[in-house]
Amino acid sequence: MRRYTPQSLMHALGLWSVSLSLITGGTALLVDRWEPRRVARLLAEVLPEPVTETAEVLGLPLLAQWGMTEGGLILTSPDDPPDWAARSLGRPGIGTEAELRPVTAGAPVNQENPGRLMIRGASVCLGTMGRDSGTLQVLAEHDEG
């Protein structure tokens, strides 16, 4: 089975993904730089078989999940169709909202005009320090309600 993580091997998730592949006799899919179209093509070549093989061999569905270091978990469910993890990352977890927004306002999200995934939830930070400026940049406003 192949596993892929866009995380650097210097990140705990990247190391965990490669380690899990080695422990289970699988293969880790690593790329030297982030090229979304190339990664999507590589993933499309390998995903359906492991998903269906896992369900057939173990009698349990393979579940997919996506997340960030700070949270924003999206995952499939044991109640989804057996091959669902080959076609979807699932739905936002409890207390998490996800929305795909166009990069250009008013434009459709499609292959030529990819969107940005926006995540909102209790584990997502409200701001970040400016990379070079040293100032705080607020990314979202918090409403005490």
Side-chain angles (χ1 to χ4, degrees), residues 67-139:
M68 303 175 295
T69 300
E70 63 185 48
L73 190 63
I74 296 174
L75 61 162
T76 58
S77 163
D79 298 328
D80 289 331
D83 66 340
W84 193 241
R87 299 180 280 137
S88 174
L89 289 177
R91 293 167 293 285
I94 296 171
T96 302
E97 298 175 26
E99 180 181 352
L100 190 60
R101 294 184 186 166
V103 174
T104 305
V109 174
N110 55 38
Q111 198 167 14
E112 290 76 38
N113 185 38
R116 284 197 177 121
L117 182 62
M118 307 301 284
I119 301 288
R120 181 168 57 184
S123 65
V124 179
C125 69
L126 298 177
T128 184
M129 291 297 290
R131 180 178 291 180
D132 298 319
S133 68
T135 62
L136 178 67
Q137 177 185 6
V138 176
L139 302 176

Side-chain angles (χ1 to χ4, degrees), residues 4-68:
Y4 169 72
T5 180
Q7 302 295 332
S8 162
L9 295 182
M10 298 303 290
H11 190 280
L13 184 58
L15 286 173
W16 176 81
S17 180
V18 171
S19 298
L20 189 58
S21 295
L22 294 172
I23 291 168
T24 60
T27 303
L29 175 60
L30 303 173
V31 293
D32 56 349
R33 64 180 174 270
W34 175 242
E35 295 177 25
R37 290 182 198 270
R38 178 174 172 235
V39 169
R41 181 179 46 78
L42 290 170
L43 291 176
E45 292 174 4
V46 302
L47 279 181
E49 296 80 15
V51 171
T52 54
E53 288 174 6
T54 299
E56 291 169 7
V57 171
L58 300 178
L60 298 168
L62 181 69
L63 303 179
Q65 67 182 29
W66 176 91
M68 303 175 295

